[in-house]
Amino acid sequence: MKLEVAPRARKGLRRSIAAIASLACAVALLPGTAQADNPIVQNIYTADPAPIVHNGRVYVYTGHDEDGSTYFTMREWRVYSSADMVNWTDHGVPMSLATFAWADANAWAGHVVPRNGKFYWYVPVRQRSNGQMVIGVGVAESPTGPFRDALGRPLVGNGEIDPHALIDDNGQAYLYWGNPNLWYVRLNPDMISFSGGPTQIPLTTAGFGTRTGNPSRPTLYEEGPWVYKRNGLYYNVFAAQCCSEFIAYSTAPGPTGPWTYRGTVMPRQGSSFTNHPGVIDFNGGSYFFYHNGALPGGGGYTRSVAVERFAYNSDGTLPTINMTAAGPPQIGTLNPYVRQEAETIAWGSGIETEPSSEGGVNVGYIENGDHIKVRGVAFGSGATSFTARVASNTGGGRIELRLDGTNGPVVGTCTVGGTGGWQNWTSTTCAVGGATGTRDLYLRFTGGSGYLFNVNWWQFGGGSAVPSHG
């Protein structure tokens, strides 16, 4: 059922985000101006990105900072995916503190790794029995969950946080974590047990740089290790020297060292005093995920995940990467002639998402003037119709189909009537004209006061098939 109390409280913040969305859209329409679609999620605060590549898509797992938080108040994790690095599909909440009956707080920075046809999500949580931070493991058969507690107890725990898993070329898996220290264990092939005990990696100034003014922490290493292998070299990218943190990295010939400090990846930027790295290669490009406080009300406890494309230097070193509002370029185009989830969004203004009775997630809490932007939609020779799956417990409203901006040309308008419930779904279809070529699509929602309707998915008809990454 539609629960309105908490979302009504959140909509004030979404109005603020709507204001900067309008500004971003206006800027995007200026000649020669880059698109502005960072952060990649706008309807909630997200933090601590952990990206993976699976079956031609990027999945990024995040934490969720609660609105108005004055601490790291986090109760659940989220997952988003994309095939083109600009339009991100919201898959909802596949795991929360409730997944771990023995945990009571702090759904903090985790990491997912696929193996054995399953997906293992290592997360730090507070153990109810002793109040200590420990590492739990969720497991699922799908990258979007749902995840369940793999052990019914912590995997390992010593009061430290930020786990990250690496499966080496020889099949040996490692779990790294730590703040203020840096630890690892050798995971067994089942990924939910380990051989030997936790081993501490020596934090030397040669390995992790020199911190001044803090004798108890002589190196720059702070937290958030992201360890991976590329061209025979092991990289450890980490959050450095709180507060505020920057992102630094070290390299080593082996997965446990010896490490050599290499310098800064992302300088201190943005309005969050923490940062958290995630690095992947996808479709011939390299991508750096991080978080900042760029949304309205954003800061150190209300963060937002963003991403940049980068290229390694010829010697394998990492370049300096700066935060941008533009984010990476789009890979390919989005095909409007196949069903697209309404929660596939480059930028959303005013909307929320929620679980759908038809499965997955739908866009909801839509009010007059809210909109969704979808980038790089390949209409080809031209669409002739538009169908949306909708539901409304009120009198409904209209979906205006606009190109290039919220005030761009209207190529179609679909009327949404009442359906007798927020999860009583029906399909509505309207004629479309003038949607040709590759354009940015804006779904602009209009109607009376209050909540208008929900949208589950949409699809254009009548046009030519186009190659798609969406």
Side-chain angles (χ1 to χ4, degrees):
M1 297 297 292
K2 186 90 163 183
L3 302 176
E4 296 188 356
V5 175
R8 285 186 190 275
R10 294 199 302 268
K11 290 293 277 192
L13 178 59
R14 301 290 83 76
R15 295 290 135 218
S16 298
I17 293 175
I20 67 163
S22 298
L23 176 61
C25 293
V27 170
L29 292 177
L30 295 175
T33 302
Q35 299 276 358
D37 292 328
N38 255 343
I40 64 172
V41 178
Q42 305 87 37
N43 64 303
I44 63 169
Y45 295 118
T46 55
D48 303 320
I52 67 168
V53 177
H54 178 72
N55 284 352
R57 294 185 72 85
V58 173
Y59 293 83
V60 59
Y61 301 85
T62 78
H64 175 200
D65 287 339
E66 296 292 332
D67 291 356
S69 178
T70 56
Y71 180 63
F72 300 112
T73 307
M74 308 171 76
R75 304 184 183 97
E76 64 187 21
W77 297 269
R78 313 279 300 205
V79 61
Y80 303 83
S81 74
S82 178
D84 62 13
M85 297 305 295
V86 298
N87 296 303
W88 290 90
T89 302
D90 185 342
H91 298 284
V93 181
M95 195 167 77
S96 71
L97 285 174
T99 303
F100 304 99
W102 44 266
D104 64 358
N106 300 350
W108 288 355
H111 181 236
V112 174
V113 62
R115 193 174 201 179
N116 310 322
K118 297 180 180 179
F119 297 82
Y120 298 89
W121 199 340
Y122 302 92
V123 290
V125 291
R126 190 176 73 182
Q127 190 170 6
R128 178 179 286 108
S129 62
N130 59 16
Q132 183 183 62
M133 291 301 295
V134 295
I135 309 300
V137 189
V139 64
E141 283 67 43
S142 162
T144 59
F147 285 77
R148 61 189 181 275
D149 187 351
L151 288 170
R153 56 174 173 78
L155 169 66
V156 66
N158 57 7
E160 302 195 36
I161 60 173
D162 291 359
H164 176 87
L166 165 71
I167 302 175
D168 209 348
D169 297 339
N170 63 4
Q172 177 62 60
Y174 298 84
L175 185 70
Y176 305 84
W177 76 99
N179 176 350
N181 302 295
L182 179 57
W183 303 82
Y184 74 89
V185 292
R186 288 182 169 87
L187 293 169
N188 293 327
D190 65 7
M191 302 299 286
I192 57 173
S193 63
F194 56 89
S195 299
T199 301
Q200 194 169 342
I201 293 176
L203 292 177
T204 65
T205 55
F208 295 92
T210 301
R211 183 188 312 221
T212 59
N214 188 346
S216 66
R217 297 191 75 157
T219 77
L220 294 172
Y221 175 83
E222 187 76 29
E223 59 186 352
W226 185 276
V227 184
Y228 64 100
K229 186 179 184 181
R230 179 181 182 271
N231 294 338
L233 188 65
Y234 295 82
Y235 293 72
N236 186 344
V237 185
F238 55 90
Q241 195 179 11
C242 191
C243 289
S244 63
E245 294 174 343
F246 65 98
I247 303 297
Y249 82 110
S250 304
T251 61
T256 63
W259 296 98
T260 300
Y261 181 65
R262 297 298 183 187
T264 298
V265 180
M266 177 170 277
R268 292 182 172 96
Q269 295 174 348
S271 58
S272 169
F273 61 82
T274 66
N275 204 342
H276 193 96
V279 185
I280 56 167
D281 289 331
F282 178 63
N283 276 10
S286 298
Y287 296 88
F288 182 84
F289 288 78
Y290 59 97
H291 67 227
N292 58 25
L295 292 180
Y301 302 117
T302 44
R303 299 160 292 180
S304 294
V305 168
V307 61
E308 310 293 343
R309 183 171 179 170
F310 74 94
Y312 288 86
N313 298 321
S314 58
D315 62 358
T317 56
L318 286 163
T320 300
I321 302 169
N322 291 304
M323 299 180 184
T324 74
Q330 186 171 8
I331 300 172
T333 55
L334 183 137
N335 184 355
Y337 302 115
V338 298
R339 173 174 154 171
Q340 297 287 348
E341 296 300 314
E343 62 275 11
T344 297
I345 297 170
W347 193 276
S349 173
I351 56 94
E352 304 274 355
T353 61
E354 64 182 358
S356 170
S357 64
E358 295 191 322
V361 172
N362 66 257
V363 172
Y365 306 101
I366 292 168
E367 295 178 280
N368 182 58
D370 292 348
H371 74 264
I372 289 170
K373 171 188 175 184
V374 185
R375 259 179 70 180
V377 179
F379 292 106
S381 59
T384 59
S385 67
F386 173 84
T387 299
R389 189 72 168 166
V390 295
S392 177
N393 198 39
T394 57
R398 295 174 300 281
I399 305 173
E400 295 179 353
L401 308 174
R402 292 179 178 263
L403 302 181
D404 305 328
T406 55
N407 295 314
V410 178
V411 297
T413 301
C414 263
T415 299
V416 179
T419 66
W422 293 116
Q423 294 293 321
N424 291 345
W425 297 98
T426 189
S427 297
T428 183
T429 300
C430 56
V432 172
T436 61
T438 298
R439 310 284 285 275
D440 291 347
L441 170 68
Y442 286 74
L443 307 179
R444 187 172 184 270
F445 308 116
T446 63
S449 60
Y451 295 133
L452 303 178
F453 51 85
N454 294 344
V455 186
N456 195 14
W457 54 261
W458 56 263
Q459 183 174 342
F460 284 83
S464 59
V466 292
S468 171
H469 296 281

